[in-house]
Amino acid sequence: MASEEELFASVDALLEEEPQLPPPAERARLREAAGITQARLAVALKTSTQTVKNYENGRSEPKSPRLEAYQRLLKGWAAKYPAHTSSAAPAPVVAPQPEVAETFTGSAAPEQAEVAAPVQAAAALAAPERPARSATSRRPAAKKAAAPAVDPRFPHGPLAVLDGDGSAYGAGGIVLDCPATTIPELVEWTLRESGLGAAKLNRYGKDSDPLIVLTAAAAVKLGLPERLEGHEQRRSLRLPEDHPVVKQVTKAKWQLTQRGFGPWARIYRKAQGRERQCVQLAVLSWDALDERSWPGVSEMEPADIARVLGVYAMRVITPRGSTAVSGLELMTALRPPTKAVRDEETGNWVSGYNAGSLGAEPMDPAPPEATPEHPVVVNSGWKGGFLNEEAYQWVRSVETLSDEECTLPFAVGLDLNTAFLAAAARLVVGLSAPDHFHAPTFNPKIPGSWLADLSHIELDPRLPSPFTPDGSRPTGAGWYQTHTLAYAQELGHDVHPIEAYLRRETGAYLDPWHDRLKNAYVDTLADMGVTKDLTDVEFLAAMEQHKQNDPALAAVLVAIKATVKGGVGKLRERPQGKSYKEGGTWPALSRPTWRPDIRAAVISKVRVNMHRKLNNMVKMTGLYPLAVLSDCVVYPSPGESPLDFLPYAASGKPQPGAFRLGPTPGLAKLEGVQSMLWAVDLMEQGLNPARHIKGGDAVMDEGE
């Protein structure tokens, strides 16, 4: 029979193996009874005040060796300050309060910082200098700001940036402790323990899969090469199938998508019921974040990267790849192709068409809407021409410049805010397959492609033609999107189409996409100090220094703009890679969002909107532009400010119909100022001043 000493030793060993802590409420009671603040306790435990708060509200538990130290302290306090009741009731888990995480102190990294509600994270990120409440604050719950509901499935937000020490930085300032040392372990931790993800944007859609962004140090720790080398295009680079990490993923019964393990990787298993099992990975040192869309972000600290991506995820969508890919994914997330419908015969729920969407199956374009290498064109031998609805690239002939214009001292560039987004508002597009018509009567309300001859229309050579991207006069019959022909009619010209490809079912497919991105753009600008209530003078002053105010939010703004243009460009993605052969299909054709007709509708409307403003400027001011590039126009000016030539009413209000300054989509901002001599010199060389007006030899994105 065991002796008392042996039994005690055995029990002590068991206690050491399975340390037990009192309930969270009792932990807080004991600390307060001892007169110790959370901040002071954090210093003793070599962790952060936020982590101590988590211990006391039940949001996290300490790990060894901090667990044993905390347990020893609580036992000592319990002996000194026994509870008056037989047992302390566990504290309810409450929604986290909207405060910014405090700076971590001490030598050890915290297991987990206090979680800020994901829905509040964007606001917190937009005001990083706001001081956190004191750890000793005891504000009554009834007086706290009402927090929006938090999805209990994703308490830690949509994504995290994992560093080499196992710290996973999330939106709202949270820091999670990730113990994973392999990619399969990381996937399991993300799905089972991290609390990461985002709720669907439409009732018929799908939740966003959690995103883990890997720093170079984290990538190396998990067995990945720091750089992904190769001679192909960056976006097509991937790990070879025999790489140890790929083998680990396969052995753990996880799968990679067809694009393999590249800068953006998706690792998944077949969904179990409604539970998706998929994690996205982005490897920073493999150039996952393109510098053009995410300027300076890859070089930021992990917490700052999480801040930038977190704001974008909350306001737009959890990144799924490039901003162009994310722009396209946002369309589908807001207009899911299917929904559950009841089968009248069986009574079962089945997948059915979601009205207003593009449906679940890809659709062949009309031949003139396709690209020359598309199977519809190659297999039919189509020789009838193509739509040429592209953004403006026009330079005025120097011969049309007057002496008065040449003596003006400055060339001032105006840029329209997210012009492609403004064009998407209330844009009616086709939802069904195209039908072919001969000699149809033109109807400006029907989206489609029309063959018509506009070459007879006389145009002022000091303005670009509204019918062609290069601004030249059409030379014969050509294919036009509905908006282009409707504008010809608006200008007073008869329109007699020869034939057309039209769609019977129509809808404003892009409206929710427009609304979400508009709000994201306007809200982010407002967080940077550029608000709708500013006067034009105040607006110009705010725009001069808004990027310096907060480089992180400046990066979010660039990403939002890239999402708009890239998403529209993806609607007509061309084949990529050396393996493609003309007449064959390419991956983009397999998705319902390969819709060149919708892209043409957006760009046609952008060009028409631009020409309408140019025309109105002539009527109101007598001024003609020097050049146009996509959504940027350059005017000769007597001064360095747009205020020197834009039209204003006697009341001081800007004239409607012309270019107007402001922060919302479709309104203008200053793009740059150069001398008139500089602009004329470029024009004489056949170069476009709008491309370089910003200075620093900046090249503008033309939209795809």
Side-chain angles (χ1 to χ4, degrees):
M1 184 174 179
S3 67
E4 181 179 327
E5 185 178 342
E6 289 174 329
L7 287 171
F8 276 28
S10 178
V11 169
D12 286 345
L14 188 62
L15 286 172
E16 288 178 8
E17 288 179 13
E18 299 292 338
Q20 297 295 315
L21 293 172
E26 177 66 0
R27 303 171 199 175
R29 185 195 72 78
L30 290 171
R31 176 185 55 75
E32 290 171 351
I36 302 298
T37 65
Q38 290 176 323
R40 187 175 171 192
L41 175 55
V43 172
L45 293 177
K46 297 194 185 307
T47 187
S48 71
T49 306
Q50 296 290 344
T51 302
V52 171
K53 290 181 181 180
N54 288 341
Y55 295 165
E56 295 185 359
N57 64 23
R59 288 212 167 274
S60 69
E61 297 292 326
K63 297 178 182 178
S64 295
R66 193 171 289 116
L67 173 57
E68 289 77 12
Y70 190 33
Q71 180 196 37
R72 180 175 180 177
L73 178 64
L74 292 176
K75 280 184 176 178
W77 281 341
K80 287 185 180 181
Y81 314 108
H84 294 296
T85 56
S86 58
S87 63
V93 177
V94 296
Q97 299 306 316
E99 61 180 283
V100 179
E102 297 173 16
T103 303
F104 296 136
T105 58
S107 58
E111 286 82 20
Q112 187 181 32
E114 182 172 358
V115 179
V119 289
Q120 299 161 334
L125 301 173
E129 301 304 322
R130 184 179 61 184
R133 270 205 319 269
S134 165
T136 58
S137 170
R138 287 289 174 267
R139 190 177 301 175
K143 293 185 180 181
K144 289 178 182 175
V150 180
D151 191 317
R153 298 171 301 158
F154 312 119
H156 299 162
L159 55 86
V161 180
L162 181 63
D163 206 358
D165 64 358
S167 297
Y169 298 83
I174 71 165
V175 182
L176 307 175
D177 181 44
C178 175
T181 57
T182 67
I183 292 294
E185 287 177 3
L186 174 61
V187 172
E188 293 283 356
W189 174 83
T190 304
L191 292 173
R192 311 283 177 255
E193 301 178 44
S194 73
L196 296 172
K200 56 194 175 186
L201 299 179
N202 181 286
R203 61 182 296 194
Y204 302 123
K206 298 174 182 176
D207 295 331
S208 285
D209 299 317
L211 168 64
I212 301 293
V213 180
L214 303 179
T215 65
V220 171
K221 177 184 175 182
L222 295 167
L224 299 170
E226 184 173 343
R227 299 292 306 178
L228 193 58
E229 303 296 342
H231 300 291
E232 300 177 67
Q233 290 182 333
R234 179 193 62 80
R235 60 186 160 193
S236 63
L237 290 177
R238 62 195 68 189
L239 290 179
E241 292 185 8
D242 61 353
H243 190 278
V245 169
V246 176
K247 289 182 176 179
Q248 285 176 359
V249 170
T250 305
K251 186 176 180 181
K253 294 186 168 47
W254 290 99
Q255 292 178 269
L256 289 161
T257 57
Q258 286 186 343
R259 61 181 173 179
F261 206 125
W264 288 89
R266 295 180 66 77
I267 301 177
Y268 71 98
R269 283 179 185 151
K270 189 176 180 182
Q272 296 181 342
R274 293 187 177 183
E275 293 297 316
R276 288 169 61 80
Q277 297 189 93
C278 183
V279 174
Q280 305 176 87
L281 300 179
V283 187
L284 290 174
S285 58
W286 295 2
D287 300 325
L289 298 181
D290 191 310
E291 179 68 18
R292 294 168 297 179
S293 302
W294 302 97
V297 176
S298 292
E299 305 305 317
M300 293 179 180
E301 292 298 318
D304 294 323
I305 298 172
R307 180 182 170 225
V308 171
L309 297 180
V311 174
Y312 180 89
M314 308 283 180
R315 291 182 174 171
V316 182
I317 193 172
T318 304
R320 293 282 301 269
S322 68
T323 47
V325 168
S326 297
L328 204 64
E329 290 289 339
L330 182 62
M331 294 180 195
T332 304
L334 293 167
R335 292 272 201 195
T338 60
K339 65 178 182 179
V341 296
R342 189 180 292 278
D343 187 315
E344 294 182 2
E345 293 184 5
T346 64
N348 295 330
W349 289 95
V350 296
S351 179
Y353 172 66
N354 182 26
S357 76
L358 299 182
E361 297 299 323
M363 185 183 298
D364 278 340
E369 297 166 349
T371 56
E373 66 271 23
H374 194 285
V376 161
V377 173
V378 176
N379 296 339
S380 67
W382 172 259
K383 302 291 184 185
F386 298 94
L387 277 176
N388 189 25
E389 299 288 10
E390 302 294 340
Y392 266 135
Q393 294 191 56
W394 172 80
V395 180
R396 186 171 153 196
S397 169
V398 289
E399 279 124 31
T400 66
L401 291 174
S402 67
D403 292 342
E404 185 182 0
E405 286 176 312
C406 290
T407 57
L408 290 172
F410 298 104
V412 177
L414 290 176
D415 179 67
L416 297 182
N417 301 319
T418 57
F420 284 53
L421 186 61
R426 299 179 298 281
L427 177 69
V428 176
V429 300
L431 301 178
S432 57
D435 290 321
H436 192 197
F437 297 87
H438 290 279
T441 300
F442 179 66
N443 186 332
K445 294 183 179 180
I446 300 177
S449 305
W450 311 74
L451 180 64
D453 191 345
L454 303 180
S455 62
H456 63 283
I457 298 176
E458 288 287 343
L459 298 163
D460 190 320
R462 292 171 293 181
L463 287 178
S465 165
F467 311 128
T468 60
D470 65 1
S472 63
R473 181 173 174 171
T475 56
W479 288 95
Y480 300 98
Q481 202 277 335
T482 299
H483 283 91
T484 304
L485 280 196
Y487 188 59
Q489 201 173 60
E490 181 183 321
L491 293 175
H493 304 287
D494 288 334
V495 174
H496 301 288
I498 302 164
E499 59 178 304
Y501 286 89
L502 309 176
R503 287 169 167 79
R504 298 178 188 275
E505 292 179 33
T506 64
Y509 171 72
L510 292 174
D511 262 9
W513 186 79
H514 162 270
D515 294 348
R516 186 166 177 84
L517 285 166
K518 176 185 176 182
N519 289 338
Y521 181 82
V522 172
D523 291 349
T524 303
L525 259 184
D527 289 337
M528 301 167 76
V530 185
T531 55
K532 297 179 185 178
D533 58 349
L534 299 177
T535 66
D536 284 0
V537 173
E538 292 169 337
F539 169 73
L540 290 172
M543 288 299 292
E544 266 188 32
Q545 45 86 51
H546 75 292
K547 292 181 181 178
Q548 288 72 36
N549 287 349
D550 194 330
L553 285 180
V556 175
L557 201 65
V558 172
I560 292 170
K561 291 188 284 188
T563 301
V564 173
K565 283 195 173 181
V568 172
K570 276 279 184 182
L571 291 167
R572 197 193 66 168
E573 184 177 354
R574 307 290 286 268
Q576 299 160 5
K578 297 177 181 178
S579 60
Y580 173 74
K581 294 182 180 179
E582 187 174 338
T585 62
W586 58 96
L589 301 187
S590 66
R591 45 177 173 76
T593 48
W594 197 87
R595 289 295 300 272
D597 56 302
I598 297 179
R599 174 186 176 275
V602 172
I603 298 178
S604 169
K605 190 175 174 185
V606 167
R607 208 178 59 248
V608 163
N609 286 349
M610 174 65 81
H611 193 275
R612 188 180 287 114
K613 292 181 189 298
L614 297 174
N615 225 8
N616 288 337
M617 282 287 287
V618 173
K619 295 174 184 175
M620 295 177 190
T621 68
L623 282 178
Y624 291 86
L626 301 176
V628 183
L629 180 69
S630 186
D631 44 16
C632 178
V633 57
V634 177
Y635 273 102
S637 172
E640 296 182 79
S641 170
L643 302 175
D644 295 318
F645 65 88
L646 290 179
Y648 289 85
S651 64
K653 291 185 178 180
Q655 292 280 25
F659 294 103
R660 297 173 55 189
L661 299 174
T664 54
L667 297 187
K669 61 180 180 291
L670 177 64
E671 179 70 8
V673 183
Q674 301 288 345
S675 71
M676 183 65 177
L677 190 63
W678 169 91
V680 173
D681 182 50
L682 285 183
M683 294 165 69
E684 287 176 338
Q685 298 177 55
L687 301 176
N688 194 323
R691 187 182 294 276
H692 307 282
I693 191 75
K694 203 169 191 175
D697 209 28
V699 176
M700 293 181 57
D701 180 5
E702 284 131 34
E704 191 172 356

